[in-house]
Amino acid sequence: MANVERTAEVVWSGTIARGTGMASGGSGALRDLPITLASRFGDPEGKTSPEELIAAAHAGCFTMALGSVLAGRGTPPERLDVFARVTVATTGTPRITSSELDVHGLVPGADQASFDEASREAGRNCLVSQALQGNVEIRVHAMLDERPISSVA
């Protein structure tokens, strides 16, 4: 099987402090996303940042890995909701220090213990988690949601 490559491009105009850029992905799904230095360390004002894109990549990768693990265990999810929070320490040289995933799942046939174990396995299988491991603290909080009880009798 051949290697898989994905591409992205940022075109920047002006100085780093006052300039602006546009980020686009090679697939065409991400197009002309405005990006600025201010969006990284201040109010994003509708613009993205590399850290936000890492958060989206981590949430997406983890969600797919978890869905695959759960399906392989015979408990495919009805719904997974993963919220990622990437933290940048700004004291000294700025650096990404953590990626925290809040995972909620509606998974018929699973209990909290099996959902926790599936989440740990998904963390080991997620390619973005693997790329961040050793450089960034990764925390996963998994919560199995109960099916809402219908008010209709």
Side-chain angles (χ1 to χ4, degrees):
M1 182 173 193
N3 290 341
V4 176
E5 292 182 349
R6 296 294 180 256
T7 63
E9 177 182 29
V10 172
V11 176
W12 191 271
S13 299
T15 67
I16 293 301
R18 298 194 192 281
T20 61
M22 294 298 238
S24 297
S27 70
L30 303 174
R31 222 181 235 144
D32 297 332
L33 298 175
I35 186 169
T36 65
L37 183 66
S39 67
R40 296 182 82 181
F41 300 109
D43 185 356
E45 297 179 350
K47 297 170 181 73
T48 194
S49 68
E51 294 76 21
E52 182 177 51
L53 295 172
I54 289 171
H58 200 188
C61 181
F62 186 88
T63 301
M64 288 185 262
L66 180 56
S68 178
V69 168
L70 290 166
R73 292 176 175 205
T75 55
E78 270 187 37
R79 179 182 171 94
L80 295 173
D81 184 5
V82 178
F83 177 85
R85 179 181 304 103
V86 168
T87 301
V88 176
T90 57
T91 54
T93 302
R95 66 180 290 272
I96 296 172
T97 57
S98 67
S99 182
E100 189 167 356
L101 303 173
D102 292 325
V103 182
H104 287 264
L106 184 57
V107 186
D111 59 18
Q112 186 62 51
S114 66
F115 191 61
D116 288 341
E117 176 53 37
S119 294
R120 285 189 291 276
E121 185 176 338
R124 292 187 299 270
N125 295 343
C126 168
L127 300 180
V128 175
S129 291
Q130 291 172 8
L132 296 173
Q133 193 67 45
N135 296 307
V136 172
E137 180 183 358
I138 298 172
R139 294 184 298 273
V140 177
H141 309 283
M143 176 60 67
L144 188 62
D145 295 332
E146 299 291 325
R147 177 176 293 286
I149 298 173
S150 173
S151 60
V152 179

